Amino acid sequence: MLLATAASTIMKSSTSTSIPNVVIFSTINQIATSLRKKAPKISISEIRDDALPVSGDLNIFEPRYIQSSTFQQLKDAQILITEPALLAKILEYNPDALPNLKWCQSTFAGVDTIFDTPGMNSPLHFTLTRFAGTFGRPIAEWCMGRIIAHERRFDLVEKDQENKSWRGSGDALRNFRYLSDLTIVILGGCGDIGSCIARAAKFGFGMRTIAFSKNERLELPEGVDECTNDLSHALREADYLISVLPSTSETKGLLSDKAFALAGIEQGGKSPVFLNCGRGDVTDEGSLLFALDRSFISAAILDVFEKEPLPETSRLWGRNDVIISPHISGETRGQDVPELFLKNYERYVAGNDLLYTVDWGKGY
C-alpha cells in the first residue's frame, strides 16, 4: 500500500514538476525492471558495462576498465542507485566522476567501504542514503537457521546419510538444548536488524533476549527482555552471542584481543556460540582463534570477516568449530529496492529530508 501511494504521488506530480532521471549502475539484477513496473512514469537509465562483475564480487571491480560512455552517463547523473563499493572505487579513481550528483541511494545497508576509502571520511557533495529497514527479516532467518542447525547437529545427520548409517552419530544427535532454555544476546540489538532477530528468537522459540546498546533505553524494543550497555554483562549472559554491529570507530575491535574471555566459563560466562552477521572488523582472526582455542567461545558461525574475501591462507577455513559463509546473510534483491527508493524519491521531489541519510559523524 505504501509503495503504491508513493508511486501514485510521483505520477501525479509529473503534471506540474520535472521528474528527475534515475541512473542505475549496479551488479544486482532486476532493479530497473522492478522500478519501471512500480513507477512507469519515472525516467530510468540502466548502465550496462563490461567492467561490472557478473559474479557480483565487488572486490574485483576495476574502474579503469569502465567505458567512456559510462563515465559520461555518470557525469550527468543527478540521482544514482549503486553499491557503496562501486561508488567508492569510482570516486577514488576519479574524484570528479560525479560532478552533478545530488543524491545516491546505496543498495546496501552498510556503507563502511566508503568511509574506509582514502579521502572519503568527510561529507561528500551529495546526499547518500543507506538501503536500510529491509534486511531485518532475512538476517533473522539466517541467524535462527544457523542456531537450529547447530543445536540439532544437522551436519552429523548429513554425514550419517552420506554413510547410509541410521543414527550413526548416536548420542551426539540427542544432546541438544531447547532454544526456550537459552539466552540470545544481540550486539546492536535495539536497531532494525537486531530487533528483528530478537522478535524471531523470543516469539518464535521462547528464547530470553538481551540487547546490547551503547545508549540506555527507556523503552525496550518489542521482543527484547533486557537492554544493557554493559558489555561484560552481555558476554557473560549469552548462550548465543550475535553481532549485527556496523563498522564505526566505536565498534571496530570491540571484541578483539581478550574481550571474549568475559564470556568464558572461568569468568562466569557460558562459552557461547558466536555469530557475526554485522561487520567483520568488530573482531579479528587472531582474537577469534585465541577465544576458540581457550573455549571462551564454543564455536564461531561467521558470515563477515575483517578481510573479504576470506584468504585461502586463513586458519579459520579448516576448523571444525567454525562455520563460514560468504557474506550472504542479508542479500539485496532487485525487487526489494523500489519500496524504499520510491519513498525517498517522493521526498526528494518534494524537497523533504530523505530516509536513512548517512551521518558522516557516526560513520553510518
Side-chain angles (χ1 to χ4, degrees):
M1 178 62 75
L2 287 174
L3 183 59
T5 301
S8 176
T9 301
I10 292 169
M11 290 179 188
K12 290 178 181 178
S13 69
S14 65
T15 58
S16 58
T17 307
S18 176
I19 302 299
N21 180 58
V22 177
V23 175
I24 300 172
F25 186 66
S26 175
T27 63
I28 300 169
N29 295 324
Q30 300 299 314
I31 293 179
T33 301
S34 300
L35 195 53
R36 288 189 178 108
K37 183 177 179 180
K38 298 296 183 181
K41 290 194 176 181
I42 292 181
S43 175
I44 298 171
S45 299
E46 182 179 20
I47 301 176
R48 298 185 180 276
D49 194 295
D50 290 340
L52 285 173
V54 177
S55 65
D57 184 359
L58 301 178
N59 294 284
I60 64 174
F61 172 65
E62 288 287 351
R64 58 181 171 168
Y65 297 128
I66 291 177
Q67 300 170 16
S68 58
S69 59
T70 293
F71 270 120
Q72 184 58 52
Q73 287 180 277
L74 292 172
K75 180 180 178 181
D76 296 337
Q78 295 185 41
I79 300 175
L80 177 66
I81 299 176
T82 191
E83 283 81 272
L86 298 181
L87 178 67
K89 287 190 174 185
I90 288 170
L91 289 177
E92 183 180 26
Y93 176 74
N94 179 5
D96 300 320
L98 299 163
N100 296 304
L101 191 61
K102 302 292 190 297
W103 164 39
C104 178
Q105 173 66 63
S106 168
T107 56
F108 291 177
V111 293
D112 43 289
T113 53
I114 294 175
F115 286 88
D116 292 341
T117 301
M120 280 184 246
N121 54 1
S122 58
L124 300 173
H125 67 273
F126 53 86
T127 299
L128 176 63
T129 53
R130 300 183 300 114
F131 190 61
T134 301
F135 295 109
R137 287 186 176 181
I139 292 179
E141 290 176 4
W142 182 89
C143 289
M144 299 314 301
R146 284 299 192 184
I147 290 172
I148 293 169
H150 184 80
E151 282 297 320
R152 293 300 184 107
R153 294 308 307 267
F154 287 175
D155 59 322
L156 295 182
V157 174
E158 291 175 3
K159 288 181 180 179
D160 288 347
Q161 181 173 346
E162 290 176 3
N163 296 328
K164 301 178 182 179
S165 176
W166 184 263
R167 291 182 179 269
S169 297
D171 288 342
L173 298 179
R174 302 186 186 95
N175 295 331
F176 62 84
R177 302 172 293 180
Y178 289 131
L179 299 194
S180 56
D181 293 333
L182 305 180
T183 296
I184 185 171
V185 172
I186 307 164
L187 308 181
C190 291
D192 173 66
I193 294 173
S195 59
C196 278
I197 298 170
R199 289 194 297 273
K202 182 67 178 177
F203 301 135
F205 300 95
M207 299 183 78
R208 178 180 173 230
T209 57
I210 299 176
F212 169 78
S213 174
K214 67 176 183 178
N215 300 317
E216 293 185 5
R217 300 277 176 161
L218 297 178
E219 295 185 9
L220 294 177
E222 185 181 19
V224 174
D225 293 318
E226 177 187 344
C227 186
T228 180
N229 59 5
D230 183 346
L231 182 60
S232 61
H233 171 69
L235 292 174
R236 291 190 180 99
E237 290 295 310
D239 290 294
Y240 280 89
L241 176 68
I242 299 179
S243 176
V244 295
L245 291 169
S247 176
T248 71
S249 58
E250 295 180 337
T251 63
K252 288 180 180 179
L254 183 69
L255 297 178
S256 289
D257 299 324
K258 298 181 180 180
F260 282 116
L262 295 170
I265 293 174
E266 291 184 0
Q267 295 294 324
K270 304 175 184 178
S271 187
V273 177
F274 174 59
L275 291 83
N276 193 3
C277 49
R279 283 295 180 265
D281 58 12
V282 73
T283 187
D284 60 87
E285 182 169 317
S287 298
L288 281 170
L289 294 170
F290 184 84
L292 288 164
D293 289 341
R294 288 156 183 78
S295 298
F296 298 152
I297 55 177
S298 56
I301 301 174
L302 308 172
D303 188 55
V304 292
F305 303 87
E306 185 180 24
K307 180 176 177 55
E308 295 183 8
L310 185 66
E312 293 182 5
T313 55
S314 170
R315 288 182 289 166
L316 294 170
W317 284 111
R319 294 190 64 114
N320 294 328
D321 51 5
V322 174
I323 294 176
I324 291 169
S325 58
H327 205 147
I328 56 170
S329 60
E331 289 276 275
T332 302
R333 304 180 306 173
Q335 63 264 40
D336 297 330
V337 173
E339 182 170 1
L340 175 58
F341 177 78
L342 289 177
K343 289 178 184 177
N344 263 340
Y345 191 91
E346 180 182 0
R347 288 169 173 259
Y348 178 85
V349 171
N352 297 326
D353 292 338
L354 304 184
L355 300 172
Y356 305 117
T357 297
V358 169
D359 186 321
W360 293 92
K362 294 181 179 179
Y364 60 93

